[in-house]
């Protein structure tokens, strides 16, 4: 393309407002104009008005996205930190335009066993619930608390713990009772509109739902029997849970023997 | 379980949804997506002309919306305007990087050609006929319209618009500026 003097729009810098509002500027012009914008209220107003006018240009262009896109997106945001919201001081910031791709690559690198991360964690997931955590009532009693205690007290109870970036997830299995319990510590609440779902993961990578983590509790008796499972996994699912995992697990705790 | 069902009420206040999303409210974000996803995909697809890429960019757009919703300032424009501006910027960035890649790939065979697709104003006009349902553009002169369409829908810079139309840069800039201002004034006059 034509050579121009980079970053030097000259005295008619104001005239770039329209081209800028249409994204019809090259990166150098964009940077220079944004610098100008910071100190020019008139241009800020004009850009805002002109940008508003471009809304009408796409009025008749709607194309319905496939449902899979929606599902994927809602999974992604569950593990995507927001700018300007309180964050626990951990994990990298995700600001770059290629963040999604990078994260996919990173996840792919860390995945094994049909997508289950044994002892792995998406660090951001833990931080994301910080806003929602105070929105949930803490007064619902946990109906399974007694059964949980039975498993914990069983003479053959076996514990396996995984650390999840500050939180810990412990699975306690009691073969004599054919039941298992999950205990969490320092784990933030599931994001609003979603639940932590527990899964018995089998050697071939299949997952069988073991129920939901209670929103107001840090322990739960798993539904079903642990026999045959090689790990207990946790995923974030739409409220109420899913038939099968629809997102990558935030942690999988291997089971003994 | 799924109370607060995801239904896009046309009267739903996008601005409020966007602000709730900024607070980490995923349900509001889902409603916002349901209300605007088709609009974003349509715009991005129009610029990219490739369904797979358009869907990818649409997802990137909404992830960016989720991340940066806190920077939306209702006093400075509509939520839809904010969202579509963001979508358009990303689509244009993508189409330009694809164009740059394609230029690099074919550098050896197109060294002597400034623009591989040498489209005159007339053929550009002709190509747009099929999709001319843009009432917003009806207030423009033909020359303003083609300049704005090339910039907005094809992702050309104003320099490229001038080259494509074979007019001086100053003329292209004037057409873009006057055209867009006329559209703005039309909005102000009510429709």
């Amino acid at each position: 393309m034509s050579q121009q003097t980079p970053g030097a729009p000259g005295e008619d810098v104001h005239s770039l407002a329209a081209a800028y509002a249409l994204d019809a500027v090259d990166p150098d012009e964009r940077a220079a104009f944004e610098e100008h914008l910071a100190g020019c209220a008139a241009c800020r107003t004009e850009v805002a008005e002109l940008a508003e006018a471009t809304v009408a240009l796409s009025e008749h262009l709607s194309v319905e996205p496939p449902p899979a896109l929606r599902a994927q997106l809602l999974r992604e945001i569950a593990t995507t930190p927001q700018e300007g919201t309180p964050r626990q001081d951990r994990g990298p910031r995700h600001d770059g335009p290629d963040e999604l791709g990078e994260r996919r690559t990173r996840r792919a690198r860390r995945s094994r066993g049909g997508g289950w991360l044994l002892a792995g964690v998406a660090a951001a997931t833990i931080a994301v619930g910080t806003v929602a955590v105070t929105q949930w009532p803490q007064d619902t009693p946990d109906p399974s608390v007694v059964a949980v205690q039975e498993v914990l007290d069983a003479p053959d109870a076996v514990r396996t713990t995984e650390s999840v970036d500050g939180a810990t997830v412990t699975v306690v299995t009691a073969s004599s009772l054919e039941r298992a319990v999950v205990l969490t510590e320092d784990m933030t609440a599931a994001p609003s509109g979603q639940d932590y779902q527990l899964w018995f993961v089998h050697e071939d990578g299949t997952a069988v739902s073991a129920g939901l983590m209670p929103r107001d509790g840090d322990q739960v008796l798993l539904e079903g029997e642990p026999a045959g499972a090689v790990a207990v996994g946790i995923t974030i699912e739409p409220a109420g849970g899913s038939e099968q995992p629809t997102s990558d697990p935030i942690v999988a705790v291997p089971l003994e023997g | 379980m799924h109370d607060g069902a995801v239904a896009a009420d046309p009267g739903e206040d996008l601005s409020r949804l966007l602000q709730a999303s900024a607070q980490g409210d995923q349900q509001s974000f889902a409603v916002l997506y349901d209300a605007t996803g088709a609009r974003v995909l349509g715009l991005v697809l129009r610029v990219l002309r490739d369904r797979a890429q358009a869907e990818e960019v649409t997802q990137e757009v909404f992830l960016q919306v989720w991340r940066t919703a806190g920077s939306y300032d209702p006093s400075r424009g509509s939520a839809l305007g904010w969202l579509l501006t963001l979508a358009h910027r990303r689509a244009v960035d993508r189409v330009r990087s694809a164009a740059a890649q394609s230029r690099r790939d074919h550098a050896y065979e197109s060294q002597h050609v400034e623009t591989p697709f040498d489209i005159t104003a007339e053929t550009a006009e002709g190509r747009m006929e099929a999709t001319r349902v843009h009432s917003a553009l009806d207030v423009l002169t033909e020359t303003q319209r083609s300049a704005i369409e090339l910039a907005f829908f094809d992702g050309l810079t104003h320099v490229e618009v001038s080259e494509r139309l074979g007019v001086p840069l100053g003329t292209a800039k004037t057409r873009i500026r006057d055209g867009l201002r006329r559209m703005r004034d039309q909005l102000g006059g009510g429709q």
Side-chain angles (χ1 to χ4, degrees):
Chain A
M1 293 295 119
S2 298
Q3 286 302 306
Q4 305 180 81
T5 314
E11 70 259 27
D12 69 340
V13 62
H14 297 283
S15 74
L16 273 180
Y20 177 83
L22 283 176
D23 294 316
V25 289
D26 68 29
D28 290 330
E29 291 171 322
R30 186 187 284 177
F33 188 72
E34 282 177 352
E35 202 169 302
H36 167 74
L37 264 187
C40 180
C43 278
R44 279 201 301 276
T45 302
E46 174 148 38
V47 166
E49 288 176 359
L50 295 179
E52 207 65 41
T54 67
V55 167
L57 289 172
S58 58
E59 228 160 38
H60 306 284
L61 295 176
S62 292
V63 175
E64 206 60 46
L69 199 156
R70 182 184 195 275
Q72 170 76 10
L73 181 64
L74 295 183
R75 278 199 302 276
E76 291 284 348
I77 64 160
T79 58
T80 301
Q82 295 179 289
E83 292 166 19
T85 51
R87 291 169 49 83
Q88 295 174 24
D89 193 15
R90 55 167 72 127
R93 283 184 64 83
H94 300 301
D95 285 338
D98 295 327
E99 173 232 324
L100 179 61
E102 281 168 17
R103 204 141 43 85
R104 283 180 177 144
T105 310
R106 199 159 60 236
R107 180 182 296 159
R109 258 202 310 272
R110 298 175 58 179
S111 294
R112 57 193 158 112
W116 289 95
L117 304 182
L118 294 181
V121 62
T125 306
I126 305 305
V128 90
T130 49
V131 175
V133 68
T134 55
Q135 298 171 354
W136 289 92
Q138 303 290 314
D139 53 1
T140 313
D142 184 345
S144 64
V145 82
V146 176
V148 165
Q149 201 57 47
E150 267 182 61
V151 172
L152 298 182
D153 293 343
D156 63 339
V158 175
R159 290 176 170 250
T160 323
T161 298
E162 285 295 342
S163 285
V164 183
D165 194 37
T168 57
V169 177
T170 301
V171 178
V172 184
T173 51
S175 304
S176 59
L177 301 171
E178 297 181 331
R179 302 308 296 266
V181 161
V182 162
L183 312 170
T184 63
E185 260 180 74
D186 301 325
M187 195 141 152
T188 51
S192 175
Q194 296 184 294
D195 279 317
Y196 288 122
Q197 189 165 4
L198 304 152
W199 307 90
F200 285 121
V201 184
H202 294 267
E203 197 143 29
D204 59 0
T206 58
V208 178
S209 178
L212 302 178
M213 203 63 206
R215 284 202 161 274
D216 54 348
D218 54 6
Q219 55 184 35
V220 66
L221 180 73
L222 299 188
E223 295 168 12
E225 299 176 8
V230 295
V232 169
I234 303 180
T235 61
I236 295 180
E237 300 294 332
S242 306
E243 292 278 308
Q244 281 293 306
T246 62
S247 64
D248 288 346
I250 58 170
V251 67
V253 183
L255 298 177
E256 296 297 324
Chain B
M1 292 294 190
H2 288 273
D3 52 348
V6 184
D9 174 1
E12 193 78 64
D13 183 355
L14 296 181
S15 172
R16 193 176 47 71
L17 290 171
L18 190 50
Q19 289 174 283
S21 300
Q23 298 301 311
D25 182 344
Q26 298 185 22
Q27 190 70 18
S28 290
F29 179 83
V31 178
L32 177 71
Y33 170 81
D34 290 339
T36 59
R39 188 72 183 269
V40 167
L41 177 57
L43 170 58
V44 171
L45 181 60
R46 179 64 184 78
V47 174
L48 288 174
R49 297 162 187 269
D50 178 285
R51 180 74 190 230
Q53 280 199 66
E55 289 180 6
E56 205 176 301
V57 168
T58 296
Q59 188 170 346
E60 289 171 8
V61 165
F62 277 99
L63 273 180
Q64 189 179 352
V65 167
W66 171 254
R67 284 205 317 273
T68 63
S71 68
Y72 166 64
D73 178 357
S75 72
R76 289 173 61 182
S78 70
L80 187 59
W82 184 84
L83 211 152
L84 291 176
T85 296
L86 204 149
H88 187 259
R89 171 77 61 93
R90 260 191 188 266
V92 163
D93 286 350
R94 171 70 72 101
V95 86
R96 285 184 193 159
S97 71
Q101 182 63 48
S102 158
R103 276 197 302 280
R104 283 192 292 276
D105 291 349
H106 301 292
Y108 69 99
E109 64 188 53
S110 58
Q111 293 159 351
H112 60 292
V113 182
E114 179 64 17
T115 49
F117 304 100
D118 195 351
I119 297 176
T120 64
E122 284 71 28
T123 56
E125 278 295 312
R127 195 153 50 82
M128 293 301 170
E129 283 294 340
T131 53
R132 183 174 294 176
V133 284
H134 319 118
S135 58
L137 290 169
D138 290 346
V139 300
L140 304 183
T141 66
E142 286 303 307
T143 55
Q144 288 169 347
R145 175 201 288 266
S146 49
I148 283 180
E149 284 180 334
L150 286 171
F152 191 76
F153 293 128
D154 290 358
L156 301 191
T157 67
H158 54 177
V159 173
E160 291 165 334
V161 169
S162 77
E163 290 168 354
R164 188 68 65 91
L165 295 177
V167 299
L169 177 58
T171 304
K173 287 170 88 165
T174 303
R175 288 178 185 174
I176 289 171
R177 187 182 62 230
D178 291 353
L180 202 48
R181 283 180 175 167
R182 192 183 279 201
M183 285 170 55
R184 173 196 62 190
D185 296 343
Q186 184 73 11
L187 276 183
Q191 282 180 306

